[in-house]
Amino acid sequence: MFDNYSWESERMSDSPFVTVEGLHYSRGETSIFRGVDMVIPRGKITAIMGPSGTGKTTLLKLIGGQLTPDAGRVCIAGEDVHALSRKALFKLRRRMGMLFQSGALFSDLDVYENVAFPLRVHTDLPESMIRDLVLLKLQAVGLRGARKLTPAELSGGMARRVALARAIALDPELILYDEPFVGQDPISMGVLVQLIRRLNDALGLTAVVVSHDIKETLSIADYVYVISDGQVMARGAPSELDVDRDPRVRQFIHGEADGPVPFHYPARDFYADLLGEGELR
Amino acid sequence: MIERIARLGRWGCDTLESLGDAGIFLAQSMFGKPSAEGMRLWLRQMHFVGVMSLAIVLVSGLFIGMVLALQGYTILVDFGAEDALGQMVALSLLRELAPVVAALLFAGRAGSALTAEIGLMKATEQLTSMEMIGVDPLRRVVAPRLWAGFVALPLLTIGFGVVGVWGGQLVGVQWLGVFEGSYWGNMQASVDFVADVGNGLLKSLVFALVVTWIAVYQGYALVPTSEGISRATTRTVVYASLAVLGLDFILTAVMFGGLS
């Protein structure tokens, strides 16, 4: 892993790090994925986009092995995630980091201990080394000065940066970002966009960004999948998607309110509804 | 009609399934390799679950002992048998009241807190993120709490019993004037260590397991919304209390009812 040469050559080779094949998943009666195929190349930032409610977060949970698909396979670094024993799965997860939408910091630990947590449970490093690593990671997200604060004292943007520092504490090979830009003010949004790109360039890790913030995501992604209705609707480099002719892709990428995906939730005719009788609500 | 039968069947299957889930959950979290870190987490939980429940359990024990002495005296004195007060207070406390009341208080004080805490961790994705870091929340979050409850409640029950007997002495001897020698002497002569103290402790071990199990499972399996947390907390107290009272009847029948 620390061998620079092979790491560099692996990175260049564009070999897939994560592959998703024929993924089917349904929750109760609702079918969420109907045959999703994806290849996530090593060392690149791959964005998975789509309207809200298309199951983007569910897809990340399927990749992370927290949910089991009805059919299909997810392979990470050649290992079938859902065929692993609980122990092997936890071992595989040490090579992944995940940034949760809420940050999901441990509320009983301060910022420093949150970032130190993965190091403490997975390594036998001496305390001085842990301290150095934690400070390095916190420095990378610009929050070295906030190490004594508790999660409750952090703003949303800061919490997400701390969570990012925790996610990269063990230098993972794969990092999954769940809606990293949601609910951020323009400044922390810019900071996060830069951080994600810089982390990828500097550490060469493979990143999957799930988001519906089109501008920010397209600005950092190397490759984009657009999912809708349980299937991959479009795929390609950001520049290719920009000129995609499919009306559904156009509507999503250019943020048009109405199109193939209707603005209105299905309802009966507006006129009839307003003049409707016998129905008070 | 068919619909109703189907619903009943589904309900039965669901109940069985969640019982099975809870059983697997218990087995997976209770048994594992002990570690120094685990000990540290367990001690921390012993503080939250045990030490923090000490005040309510001891104060209740004191009052229950005092009330027992008062009630017992007014009846016993009619028969001139007030010398048997010590025996009556001790036996009711050790066999029944200490294990049962301590368990009920524990369910309300510590059980509900455990459910709410684990539930909130689930709602804020802390459990999921722990899993993604590669740490099993069953071992890290649930196991220390389960073991803490299992050890703490029997200790609290002993405290409850001791303070209760002392409260009975305060009222019976100091206030109502029962002869001190007969209060303690009759108690010593009639209380059997194995049959009374031992069985009481055995009861409390069973209650400890059941109450803590219900509390952590309800927290772990709840629907992670504010409504889900409030429902699960209520369920913990209701189920745990009913389980304690029901099991108490069964255990009493086996231990003291001549069924064994």
Side-chain angles (χ1 to χ4, degrees):
Chain A
M1 193 173 137
F2 296 106
D3 183 344
N4 245 342
Y5 175 73
S6 68
W7 173 73
E8 200 54 40
S9 64
E10 254 187 343
R11 195 184 155 192
M12 290 301 164
S13 71
D14 253 19
S15 62
F17 191 67
V18 181
T19 52
V20 177
E21 294 164 19
L23 193 73
H24 283 75
Y25 182 76
S26 51
R27 186 176 290 136
E29 304 286 296
T30 339
S31 152
I32 299 190
F33 296 119
R34 297 191 301 268
V36 170
D37 293 292
M38 271 182 196
V39 173
I40 289 163
R42 193 185 289 270
K44 294 282 167 64
I45 298 182
T46 305
I48 299 173
M49 301 173 56
S52 318
T54 42
K56 300 186 295 293
T57 304
T58 311
L59 186 62
L60 279 193
K61 288 190 170 166
L62 283 161
I63 293 176
Q66 287 163 338
L67 298 173
T68 312
D70 301 335
R73 295 200 315 157
V74 175
C75 290
I76 298 182
E79 292 189 81
D80 184 345
V81 174
H82 300 99
L84 294 173
S85 67
R86 195 175 165 87
K87 205 173 163 191
L89 179 63
F90 277 98
K91 207 171 155 201
L92 179 66
R93 282 184 183 155
R94 290 177 204 175
R95 298 165 62 188
M96 308 183 208
M98 181 159 175
L99 182 68
F100 286 84
Q101 204 170 330
S102 60
L105 296 174
F106 303 133
S107 43
D108 53 341
L109 303 176
D110 64 9
V111 166
Y112 179 94
E113 284 301 324
N114 260 289
V115 180
F117 183 84
L119 297 166
R120 288 196 201 285
V121 292
H122 289 315
T123 67
D124 296 323
L125 295 174
E127 194 54 43
S128 61
M129 185 88 89
I130 289 185
R131 185 185 136 89
D132 289 351
L133 283 170
V134 171
L135 294 189
L136 272 174
K137 304 296 175 190
L138 281 175
Q139 173 76 8
V141 298
L143 289 174
R144 189 166 43 85
R147 61 177 179 266
K148 293 216 174 90
L149 300 182
T150 61
E153 293 170 304
L154 301 174
S155 71
M158 285 159 85
R160 212 164 294 177
R161 275 148 71 193
V162 174
L164 183 55
R166 187 180 66 182
I168 56 169
L170 282 170
D171 291 323
E173 294 161 70
L174 170 68
I175 182 155
L176 309 169
Y177 297 97
D178 185 8
E179 300 281 9
F181 311 120
V182 162
Q184 300 289 321
D185 64 50
I187 300 175
S188 51
M189 177 107 97
V191 171
L192 273 167
V193 170
Q194 273 185 22
L195 268 176
I196 293 175
R197 185 72 249 184
R198 268 202 351 239
L199 278 173
N200 201 72
D201 292 341
L203 302 173
L205 42 79
T206 309
V208 179
V209 182
V210 152
S211 178
H212 52 224
D213 289 286
I214 299 156
K215 194 166 109 303
E216 288 74 22
T217 314
L218 289 187
S219 72
I220 52 167
D222 296 307
Y223 202 77
V224 181
Y225 283 91
V226 181
I227 51 174
S228 178
D229 292 332
Q231 278 164 332
V232 174
M233 186 166 70
R235 64 182 74 195
S239 55
E240 292 165 21
L241 284 186
D242 224 18
V243 295
D244 199 300
R245 285 174 184 280
D246 187 328
R248 291 174 305 169
V249 180
R250 278 183 59 88
Q251 186 198 355
F252 180 70
I253 297 286
H254 298 290
E256 292 155 4
D258 218 347
V261 179
F263 170 65
H264 293 287
Y265 193 83
R268 62 181 176 145
D269 184 61
F270 190 39
Y271 184 73
D273 215 358
L274 282 178
L275 298 177
E277 286 168 13
E279 206 182 339
L280 281 176
R281 293 187 56 186
Chain B
M1 185 64 198
I2 295 287
E3 174 67 18
R4 271 193 200 162
I5 296 173
R7 218 180 302 151
L8 187 70
R10 210 174 303 133
W11 178 81
C13 289
D14 286 351
T15 311
L16 270 182
E17 196 185 328
S18 66
L19 270 179
D21 271 351
I24 295 170
F25 168 85
L26 180 69
Q28 276 183 342
S29 40
M30 245 190 145
F31 305 107
K33 213 169 46 195
S35 64
E37 179 65 7
M39 277 302 283
R40 199 184 60 79
L41 290 169
W42 174 74
L43 275 176
R44 208 177 129 95
Q45 289 309 318
M46 279 297 282
H47 175 77
F48 283 122
V49 167
V51 179
M52 304 284 270
S53 310
L54 208 54
I56 183 176
V57 167
L58 293 188
V59 171
S60 311
L62 182 69
F63 279 116
I64 287 198
M66 283 163 39
V67 168
L68 263 181
L70 207 52
Q71 290 278 15
Y73 181 82
T74 52
I75 293 171
L76 289 174
V77 81
D78 287 345
F79 304 97
E82 67 268 27
D83 285 347
L85 188 66
Q87 171 185 356
M88 193 218 91
V89 168
L91 286 182
S92 356
L93 275 172
L94 294 177
R95 287 182 176 188
E96 284 300 331
L97 288 169
V100 172
V101 178
L104 293 177
L105 291 169
F106 187 78
R109 163 67 184 75
S112 57
L114 284 176
T115 306
E117 192 192 11
I118 296 180
L120 208 61
M121 284 175 137
K122 183 173 181 180
T124 52
E125 293 184 308
Q126 291 183 46
L127 297 183
T128 327
S129 76
M130 201 172 273
E131 274 186 12
M132 285 305 295
I133 291 174
V135 174
D136 190 347
L138 288 183
R139 301 287 320 138
R140 170 102 195 172
V141 174
V142 173
R145 286 168 172 78
L146 207 50
W147 277 105
F150 187 58
V151 176
L153 181 51
L155 293 177
L156 288 170
T157 302
I158 294 174
F160 188 104
V162 170
V163 173
V165 167
W166 178 62
Q169 188 260 357
L170 275 186
V171 168
V173 177
Q174 311 289 339
W175 181 25
L176 299 171
V178 174
F179 176 53
E180 188 161 16
S182 59
Y183 184 85
W184 296 117
N186 275 335
M187 194 186 295
Q188 218 172 6
S190 59
V191 173
D192 183 75
F193 189 76
V194 176
D196 300 319
V197 180
N199 275 336
L201 268 181
L202 193 61
K203 273 186 179 179
S204 116
L205 274 173
V206 174
F207 298 159
L209 182 67
V210 171
V211 170
T212 328
W213 180 19
I214 291 177
V216 289
Y217 180 71
Q218 288 294 341
Y220 196 77
L222 57 69
V223 184
T225 57
S226 36
E227 196 193 358
I229 294 179
S230 89
R231 279 191 182 183
T233 320
T234 313
R235 266 205 304 270
T236 292
V237 177
V238 173
Y239 289 177
S241 308
L242 288 179
V244 164
L245 295 171
L247 277 171
D248 182 51
F249 176 73
I250 297 172
L251 288 172
T252 307
V254 173
M255 288 168 174
F256 305 106
L259 281 182
S260 50

